[in-house]
Amino acid sequence: MTRDSAALGNAPAGSTHPGRPLGGAPASLPRRILLQGRYETVTMLRNGEQLILAIVLPLLAMVGLTVTPLLDGFGASRINVAVPGILALCAMSTAFTGQGISTGFDRRYGVLRFLSTTPLGRTGLIAGKVLAVLAVLALQVLVVTAVALPLGWTPDPQGWAPALGLLVLGAAAFTALGLLVAGTVRPEATLAITNLLWILLGALGGIVIPAERLPAALQAVVHFLPSGALGAGMREAFLAGTVNPASVLILLLWTAIAGGAATRWFKWN
């Protein structure tokens, strides 16, 4: 398994490679992070399974929600209610499932241990993964928007700023959760756990289907899940053009708690 030599700072001495200045000095940390983020992004986009999970399945779910009555009564049209939840689902797919699985197997094959000892360092590695998540998420937003607008999606223009902020915050929370799972259990278990949680949270976590349409036993719980908070916040942003303070607070708490736990218990090998 190979890694971008520029990100690692391992280009030959005297090389004019962009990741390493002439004379053999390692590239600066920001440049190493940028190169690592580019590598992680390309790797994610070349992975067929992750691409299906990140783009194809959310698009299929969006089309399905527009032709079924599940979202009737929540907005002026089904597509207006569906798209915010689909964008939230994209963030969960990339940040939680995608990063969780890739990090878990990188850990199994010793890639994480190797990278943590290079000039990239642990901080650079994590920052590169965050950049990759944000890059893929930006692509997802563009693709979903390009498909949704012809279907009649009419988002509140004032909702774009809070919605994009919520997506970034949601990506941070789910990345922290993904790294927590990937860094504490075996890769095979990571694969099973992240895929199972993706299905459960996607169907019953309030991210795509509003909590009011879920079974009564779940309605009081999903608001406190990162999926429910992100889904509710995205719908309020695009339907009403406002910020949901409760969603922001819950996502911040999940980011802090999961991030702290991942920092404390993450195993690099």
Side-chain angles (χ1 to χ4, degrees):
M1 186 175 294
T2 61
R3 289 280 171 171
D4 193 305
S5 61
L8 306 180
N10 289 332
S15 170
T16 57
H17 193 290
R20 193 183 185 105
L22 186 63
S28 64
L29 180 59
R31 180 163 183 78
R32 293 198 296 269
I33 291 173
L34 181 62
L35 291 170
Q36 181 66 22
R38 183 179 68 182
Y39 170 82
E40 297 277 355
T41 301
V42 172
T43 300
M44 292 174 68
L45 293 177
R46 285 179 176 174
N47 188 313
E49 294 179 359
Q50 289 192 26
L51 201 59
I52 290 174
L53 191 67
I55 296 179
V56 177
L57 290 183
L59 288 178
L60 291 176
M62 181 178 70
V63 174
L65 290 171
T66 61
V67 298
T68 60
L70 283 174
L71 301 180
D72 286 354
F74 289 100
S77 67
R78 294 172 182 173
I79 190 69
N80 280 356
V81 184
V83 174
I86 294 302
L87 290 173
L89 182 65
C90 288
M92 183 175 71
S93 300
T94 300
F96 178 63
T97 311
Q99 276 301 312
I101 292 173
S102 65
T103 302
F105 281 94
D106 277 355
R107 175 173 162 246
R108 174 180 182 174
Y109 294 116
V111 176
L112 293 186
R113 180 176 59 182
F114 169 67
L115 288 175
S116 68
T117 63
T118 67
L120 180 66
R122 298 186 177 188
T123 300
L125 175 63
I126 294 173
K129 288 183 175 294
V130 171
L131 280 182
V133 168
L134 294 178
V136 175
L137 183 57
L139 177 61
Q140 290 172 301
V141 171
L142 291 175
V143 172
V144 171
T145 301
V147 175
L149 289 177
L151 293 177
W153 183 39
T154 54
D156 189 313
Q158 297 183 0
W160 276 103
L164 292 177
L166 278 169
L167 279 178
V168 172
L169 188 54
F174 281 115
T175 299
L177 285 168
L179 292 177
L180 174 61
V181 174
T184 54
V185 303
R186 297 178 60 183
E188 294 80 2
T190 299
L191 181 65
I193 291 171
T194 53
N195 280 321
L196 178 61
L197 286 179
W198 186 87
I199 295 172
L200 292 177
L201 293 178
L204 301 173
I207 194 167
V208 174
I209 302 174
E212 294 78 4
R213 196 54 56 87
L214 297 174
L218 295 175
Q219 292 183 15
V221 178
V222 296
H223 293 294
F224 298 101
L225 298 177
S227 54
L230 183 57
M234 291 292 292
R235 282 185 286 272
E236 185 165 329
F238 278 126
L239 293 175
T242 57
V243 178
N244 186 327
S247 294
V248 174
L249 177 60
I250 291 171
L251 289 173
L252 284 172
L253 287 174
W254 275 100
T255 302
I257 294 172
T263 301
R264 171 66 178 81
W265 288 298
F266 193 94
K267 300 175 183 177
W268 291 84
N269 53 46

